[in-house]
Amino acid sequence: MNVWINNPFDNLPGEGRRPQRYCLLCRALAKAGHRVVWWSSDFSHPLKRHRTLEPVYDLPEGFQVRLIPTMPYYDNIGLRRAWSHRRYAAAWKRLAEAAVAAGELPKPDLILTSWPPIDTAAVARQLRTKWGCKVVVDVMDAWPRSFHRVIPGPKWLKELLGPLVFARAHASARCAFRQADAVVALGFSHLAFADSYGGKAPRHVSYPGILRMNNGANRYSLDESEPLRLVYIGNMGRSYDLSTVICAIRRLVDEGERVYFDLAGSGPHEDRLRREAKGCSHIRFHGYLGTEDTQQLLADADMAIIPMFPDSCVSIPYKLVDYAAAGLPILCCLTGETQRMIERYRAGTMYRAGDVEDLMATLRAYLHQRSRITQESLASARIARENFMMDDIYPEFVHFLTNL
């Protein structure tokens, strides 16, 4: 089977960062004997700069990556990013049709496109009309419902105006989920999101997968004289309430508590966050790290934090997977599916987004009751073993696609 995958956001092979959902899926499809092409962007979404990779390159794992020229954008929310995505989709259609016409690629039997972006789903349906292939939409984020949070005012006003302000995007979502041959989702809440637009096609939930466990030994120490090390890995943008974490850490340090906060990653709010943390040596920014350095930072930590606003509409963030694979207890203010999983396994503690006092109280409890870290570390590792193991997830994903 000839399979095309379109996702412009995940790490690509050759960039020195850990393989994510689509790289692992490409490997599994190729291992099962399918011919796979991963269409992605020549612009790195996390780094906000153009990639230095070749526009077309083959991987030893048996699949090919093709990069689509992409207009840069510098903020994750805004008209420039929306326009960039539209141009990306149009460029994909042009390059795809040209590659098949020139004999560089055979016609696809199946196209899987991630959601977001929004416009690539429409292009996939156009290619289906032309070539008779199947189209699968893989829901990674609740676009455009998550757009509603940019509307000022109370929640009821956002819910009232959102469908009007973003009418075109909502119409695109209805077409995408109603006309897909199948829908896959990163989590059950994202599958329910697709169903809310009238999707009736076969569906499958596939959590993100991990290559290996990376349990660190240091966090099993119960010595309260040692500092508590909190880690965050990911984007520093609008969805993340990192200001609350920085404020809580600063105030705890001022009180004499021995707590450190390490941040790895970048984003549009990084400069502001650095200013908020200035003068506090217990808050350390590491920038983007390669796979080995990221794993070491996780191994050296005692706890990890998911400071995501609930209105971000995220189901299962990649960072939950990474933290669980490292066996880290998790502090979290993201409600929904992530909260239910953490609470079901007793692998961490919830706190209220934006509430500095609540977060400080939560951290104090761990500072003075270290045995909780040992218990919750084991529970967090069990989340990874029972939900996120690559060898369980991706063969099932491939089986679902093959059955279409």
Side-chain angles (χ1 to χ4, degrees), residues 1-5 13 22-38 57-66 105-106:
M1 181 168 68
N2 296 312
V3 181
W4 286 7
I5 291 173
Y22 294 99
C23 182
L24 297 175
L25 176 59
C26 286
R27 289 180 182 178
L29 284 163
K31 184 177 180 180
H34 303 292
R35 180 171 178 174
V36 184
V37 176
W38 180 3
Y57 62 104
D58 295 304
L59 279 301
E61 294 94 335
F63 63 93
Q64 183 180 91
V65 173
R66 287 181 171 248
L105 294 175

Side-chain angles (χ1 to χ4, degrees), residues 232-244:
Y232 170 81
I233 295 179
N235 185 264
M236 300 178 191
R238 182 189 294 264
S239 297
Y240 304 92
D241 185 24
L242 287 163
S243 290
T244 293

Side-chain angles (χ1 to χ4, degrees), residues 67-143:
L67 301 184
I68 299 167
T70 305
M71 183 183 82
Y73 52 89
Y74 306 104
D75 197 337
N76 286 347
I77 297 177
L79 293 176
R80 184 176 176 88
R81 183 180 180 186
W83 181 238
S84 175
H85 284 194
R86 293 197 70 180
R87 292 179 61 176
Y88 171 86
W92 176 40
K93 183 175 187 292
R94 183 177 66 255
L95 291 174
E97 290 177 339
V100 171
E104 296 176 19
L105 294 175
K107 298 174 184 176
D109 300 303
L110 182 145
I111 298 175
L112 182 146
T113 180
S114 69
W115 180 277
I118 289 177
D119 298 290
T120 51
V123 170
R125 294 195 303 273
Q126 293 167 11
L127 298 179
R128 177 179 62 187
T129 300
K130 187 180 184 72
W131 293 325
C133 54
K134 298 288 186 180
V135 169
V136 180
V137 178
D138 185 17
V139 189
M140 299 291 290
D141 207 339
W143 283 24

Side-chain angles (χ1 to χ4, degrees), residues 173-245:
R174 283 191 292 273
C175 289
F177 300 126
R178 291 177 182 179
Q179 299 179 28
D181 294 297
V183 174
V184 181
L186 191 68
F188 288 96
S189 57
H190 279 359
L191 194 62
F193 160 77
D195 289 345
S196 72
Y197 286 92
K200 301 294 183 183
R203 69 280 310 276
H204 177 71
V205 170
S206 179
Y207 286 146
I210 55 172
L211 286 168
R212 63 182 182 274
M213 303 289 288
N214 185 44
N215 298 74
N218 292 342
R219 70 185 63 98
Y220 298 107
S221 170
L222 303 181
D223 188 352
E224 292 188 12
S225 67
E226 293 293 321
L228 182 71
R229 294 157 299 183
L230 181 67
V231 68
Y232 170 81
I233 295 179
N235 185 264
M236 300 178 191
R238 182 189 294 264
S239 297
Y240 304 92
D241 185 24
L242 287 163
S243 290
T244 293
V245 188

Side-chain angles (χ1 to χ4, degrees), residues 378-399:
L378 297 172
S380 183
R382 193 159 67 89
I383 289 179
R385 285 196 303 272
E386 295 182 5
N387 297 277
F388 302 139
M389 298 308 294
M390 176 187 73
D391 291 339
D392 297 326
I393 289 170
Y394 293 102
E396 291 181 2
F397 202 156
V398 170
H399 181 71

Side-chain angles (χ1 to χ4, degrees), residues 303-326:
M303 304 188 67
I305 190 162
I306 302 177
M308 300 188 75
F309 290 110
D311 65 0
S312 62
C313 300
V314 172
S315 173
I316 300 291
Y318 276 139
K319 52 184 61 61
L320 171 62
V321 182
D322 292 333
Y323 297 162

